[in-house]
Amino acid sequence: MKKIKIGIIGGAGYTGGELIRILLRHPNAEITYVHSKSSAGKPLYSVHNDLIGETDLTFADSFQEPVDVVFLCVGHGEAKVFLADNPAILQTKVIDLSQDFRDESNGFVYGLPELNKARIQNAQHIANPGCFATAIQLALLPLPQNGLLKEEVHISAITGSTGAGQKLADTVHFTWRNNNISVYKAFTHQHLKEIRQSLTQLQNNFSEKIRFIPYRGNFTRGILASVYTTFDGTLEEAKKYYSDFYQNHPFTHVVDSEIDVKLVTNTNKCLLHLEQHEDQLLITSVIDNLTKGASGQAVQNMNLLFGLDEKAGLDLKPVAF
């Protein structure tokens, strides 16, 4: 197969850098341009120092070259503005990593492969899921698939500092974040909308509360989510529902041993661990917020869009110690 020509808009941030790192090793990918208003003319490695010796590409100040797919790595709210100002981009395939089209507006398909694989394969425009939303939905999807969500869902989840993006803010400075942990956006996090959207897609009568407490972690990358809800069956029955649901999804694995973030850091994997405590099913979910939670999942969606092996370019080794 000929190489897929790729354009990246907003390539100077964390998700842009992670996307470049993955695509440089993708057997079917050719990065045509990486656009950045703030870094135009500079080598990619001047911003993403891990790319020293990997590429001589420079950031572009234009994006007119014909490509097969465009990745939007701009901030939330900026993707809509960019596409309104550059409507010709919509004539090609687009994968947007912002939250702007996760409600499936403007013809975008919600790009969680474990939920919408067939729709993604036939789509033109993809809205990549949020990082917390990915970890939490993968912890829950087998339950609504079988009509088993009957009570409130309770979630505690912690994310690494890269989840806040590259722009400076009080809560991302080293002196504040190191040796520290904090709650933010309790019960109101923006990812709740897409989580409910997906759960009701599978079980349209689910109307119970989803109670979500997010935490800022004092580490760089990764998400651990603890999710629990009422479950009437046995633990063995629950494991069967989960193994059946994910049997054809190569990145999501149900494991019997306890899990931690280092098992998935630098990979596109999601690991799930199930426990039962009286009438409560506890599901622990771990992902890397920059790969499965963002750029890796975007490449997974690209693979599906172009009929490639879903794992192409994503055979990544975790940083286990």
Side-chain angles (χ1 to χ4, degrees):
M1 178 179 177
K2 70 175 184 178
K3 297 280 189 176
I4 298 166
K5 293 185 179 299
I6 294 164
I8 300 172
I9 306 296
Y14 288 140
T15 58
E18 189 78 351
L19 184 62
I20 295 163
R21 179 179 71 86
I22 295 169
L23 290 174
L24 284 173
R25 286 167 173 75
H26 194 295
N28 306 102
E30 178 184 319
I31 300 175
T32 301
Y33 64 80
V34 181
H35 179 262
S36 171
K37 291 186 292 186
S38 62
S39 300
K42 297 179 181 178
L44 300 189
Y45 59 75
S46 69
V47 174
H48 304 300
N49 301 138
D50 60 312
L51 298 180
I52 293 173
E54 302 291 331
T55 177
D56 293 323
L57 281 170
T58 58
F59 288 105
D61 58 3
S62 62
F63 42 85
Q64 279 75 34
E65 298 179 71
V67 293
D68 299 307
V69 60
V70 173
F71 290 89
L72 299 182
C73 298
V74 297
H76 302 311
E78 296 178 25
K80 280 186 176 180
V81 173
F82 176 82
L83 291 176
D85 291 341
N86 302 278
I89 293 287
L90 290 170
Q91 300 305 309
T92 189
K93 295 183 185 296
V94 174
I95 300 174
D96 175 31
L97 278 72
S98 82
Q99 68 181 17
D100 291 11
F101 302 104
R102 291 176 188 161
D103 61 356
E104 299 200 323
S105 58
N106 290 66
F108 277 74
V109 170
Y110 187 66
L112 186 64
E114 291 81 0
L115 176 68
N116 288 328
K117 182 181 287 190
R119 294 178 63 214
I120 293 166
Q121 290 170 322
N122 294 289
Q124 178 78 357
H125 304 140
I126 300 296
N128 219 53
C131 51
F132 267 138
T134 296
I136 292 165
Q137 288 173 98
L138 294 178
L140 286 168
L141 290 181
L143 298 178
Q145 172 66 26
N146 292 281
L148 297 171
L149 280 182
K150 299 177 181 178
E151 303 290 344
E152 292 182 349
V153 176
H154 297 264
I155 305 157
S156 293
I158 187 167
T159 185
S161 59
T162 51
Q166 206 171 34
K167 292 181 180 179
L168 289 178
D170 291 343
T171 57
V172 298
H173 285 285
F174 177 83
T175 50
W176 189 92
R177 198 98 179 198
N178 190 46
N179 297 320
N180 199 9
I181 188 171
S182 63
V183 171
Y184 74 110
K185 296 182 181 178
F187 301 107
T188 63
H189 196 279
Q190 64 271 15
H191 290 183
L192 282 167
K193 291 181 180 178
E194 60 190 280
I195 293 169
R196 182 171 292 281
Q197 174 180 280
S198 295
L199 297 183
T200 54
Q201 178 179 325
L202 294 178
Q203 184 180 330
N204 60 18
N205 66 346
F206 176 68
S207 59
E208 300 294 334
K209 298 287 187 181
I210 304 172
R211 303 194 183 274
F212 176 28
I213 309 295
Y215 294 85
R216 302 181 183 96
N218 62 344
F219 51 94
T220 302
R221 54 195 291 168
I223 286 175
L224 185 147
S226 297
V227 183
Y228 67 92
T229 190
T230 301
F231 181 71
D232 293 335
T234 66
L235 181 59
E236 289 70 27
E237 289 170 336
K239 289 180 178 179
K240 181 69 164 55
Y241 288 128
Y242 276 73
S243 61
D244 287 351
F245 188 91
Y246 291 116
Q247 64 180 336
N248 295 319
H249 297 287
F251 293 109
T252 303
H253 307 278
V254 183
V255 298
D256 290 329
S257 55
E258 293 185 351
I259 55 179
D260 57 74
V261 167
K262 279 193 174 182
L263 295 174
V264 296
T265 303
N266 193 52
T267 80
N268 202 52
K269 293 179 183 177
C270 173
L271 299 185
L272 303 173
H273 175 68
L274 278 61
E275 299 178 18
Q276 190 169 30
H277 299 273
E278 297 179 345
D279 65 343
Q280 297 295 302
L281 182 66
L282 169 65
I283 311 102
T284 306
S285 172
V286 289
I287 66 167
D288 185 317
N289 60 293
L290 286 180
T291 40
K292 183 58 173 167
S295 303
Q297 186 152 245
V299 172
Q300 184 181 357
N301 280 318
M302 182 193 80
N303 291 340
L304 292 171
L305 281 176
F306 288 93
L308 303 177
D309 180 347
E310 195 170 347
K311 297 182 70 174
L314 293 168
D315 188 16
L316 304 170
K317 169 70 171 67
V319 183
F321 51 84

